[in-house]
Amino acid sequence: MESRKEVDSLTKWDGSAYVPHVSIDLVIFGFHDGQLKVLLLHWRTGTDWLLPSGFIHHDEDVVDAAHRSLRERTGLQAVFLQQFHTFGEAVRFKHFTKQETMIRLGFPGDTDEPLFRRHVSIGYYALVEFSEVVPTPDQFTDECRWWDVDAVPPLLFDHNDMIKLALKTLRRQLSYQPIGYNLLPEKFTMPELQRLYETILGQPLDRRNFQKRMLSYDILERLEERKTGGAHKAPYLYRFDKAKYDNVLEEGMSFVG
């Protein structure tokens, strides 16, 4: 069976190439023009979607495997990537049973395919500018594209749960770490920064309180330039102080309250 041969050649289930039964699963969030999306893969033998995943080489660290998998699916490297949870439930078939999942992926429902034995998944999430991504499918999939976070279909395995928890973790992250360095132009306005936070949080923020709070962290530099082309009074442009931004990213502090 072709798909079986591809699984064997890719994963080498005898353990010679990859750590058996442990995978990396990626929740890749993309921000652009006030929209938040998530990157999904389409399994080529059916109609189903799932998250990008990868295995860990015996000779690489887990975080290196995560960055490699991210690079293979997006073409990006050196972007924000954070481990958020380990998924190890004994039964991880949520929308479809194990047998239904096998059939949907093109395997006989009674197969002993190692792909369907118990796996532990290490979840990572990334936040990228999705206009810079080159979505690239893997050997098992024929399409890799963005979906609005509010319009994600029922996914295989427990991948919907992964997205929900990753988004919850990302929103919690805003309370102690800054975001925006790789998601906004080098020079941006305060309304553009606020729109980024509102898009991720899924709720409006008070303009004055947001601006006061962001300026109090001393990670923004206000420029003498103003944004041109608007109908109203042009707002000042800002940029991140990279050294201070990186320090807060490392040390943490109280952000959105």
Side-chain angles (χ1 to χ4, degrees):
M1 183 175 179
E2 182 181 6
S3 57
R4 173 60 183 265
K5 292 179 180 179
E6 290 170 350
V7 170
D8 287 343
S9 65
L10 177 66
T11 59
K12 297 190 176 179
W13 289 103
D14 60 0
S16 62
Y18 298 92
V19 177
H21 310 304
V22 179
S23 65
I24 300 291
D25 286 80
L26 299 174
V27 181
I28 305 171
F29 293 113
F31 174 81
H32 179 70
D33 196 24
Q35 301 175 70
L36 187 65
K37 298 179 180 289
V38 63
L39 195 65
L40 298 179
L41 292 169
H42 179 260
W43 193 269
R44 71 184 189 188
T45 60
T47 61
D48 296 290
W49 295 82
L50 68 169
L51 289 170
S53 302
F55 292 94
I56 306 165
H57 293 280
H58 279 293
D59 60 352
E60 69 179 343
D61 294 338
V62 169
V63 67
D64 292 333
H67 279 283
R68 173 177 54 78
S69 296
L70 177 67
R71 184 173 62 254
E72 290 170 351
R73 301 285 73 78
T74 67
L76 300 179
Q77 53 187 341
V79 301
F80 181 85
L81 182 65
Q82 180 167 304
Q83 185 179 140
F84 70 96
H85 193 70
T86 298
F87 296 85
E89 292 185 24
V91 178
R92 296 181 54 199
F93 300 93
K94 301 298 182 176
H95 295 291
F96 313 102
T97 66
K98 178 179 179 180
Q99 288 70 29
E100 289 171 338
T101 302
M102 289 178 178
I103 294 172
R104 298 177 82 90
L105 294 183
F107 295 90
D110 58 351
T111 184
D112 189 36
E113 174 56 58
L115 181 62
F116 297 98
R117 296 175 187 170
R118 184 177 179 183
H119 277 72
V120 172
S121 295
I122 305 172
Y124 280 81
Y125 72 87
L127 187 58
V128 303
E129 218 300 343
F130 72 71
S131 65
E132 298 178 358
V133 170
V134 180
T136 305
D138 58 26
Q139 291 190 40
F140 301 117
T141 57
D142 57 11
E143 187 178 0
C144 181
R145 70 175 173 91
W146 295 105
W147 286 72
D148 290 332
V149 291
D150 295 327
V152 173
L155 304 178
L156 295 174
F157 307 106
D158 53 355
H159 289 187
N160 288 91
D161 293 344
M162 289 185 179
I163 294 174
K164 291 178 182 178
L165 184 54
L167 184 56
K168 181 179 180 180
T169 306
L170 172 60
R171 288 170 172 169
R172 188 184 303 122
Q173 177 207 343
L174 296 189
S175 67
Y176 61 89
Q177 286 183 315
I179 61 169
Y181 182 76
N182 293 318
L183 304 174
L184 294 170
E186 180 183 359
K187 301 176 183 180
F188 53 87
T189 65
M190 190 63 70
E192 289 172 334
L193 180 61
Q194 181 172 336
R195 189 180 187 190
L196 169 61
Y197 273 71
E198 290 177 334
T199 299
I200 294 173
L201 290 171
Q203 64 183 40
L205 300 172
D206 180 81
R207 180 183 63 81
R208 291 185 179 180
N209 287 343
F210 177 80
Q211 179 169 327
K212 181 179 179 181
R213 184 178 290 268
M214 292 305 301
L215 292 177
S216 71
Y217 303 133
D218 195 31
I219 60 173
L220 296 176
E221 177 186 357
R222 195 182 84 169
L223 308 176
E224 294 304 317
E225 306 172 55
R226 293 178 180 267
K227 185 170 184 177
T228 59
H232 304 287
K233 182 179 179 181
Y236 279 105
L237 290 170
Y238 291 81
R239 66 184 173 197
F240 287 108
D241 183 312
K242 186 62 165 59
K244 293 180 179 179
Y245 182 97
D246 288 342
N247 181 65
V248 172
L249 195 63
E250 179 70 23
E251 300 296 331
M253 66 191 308
S254 178
F255 268 75
V256 177

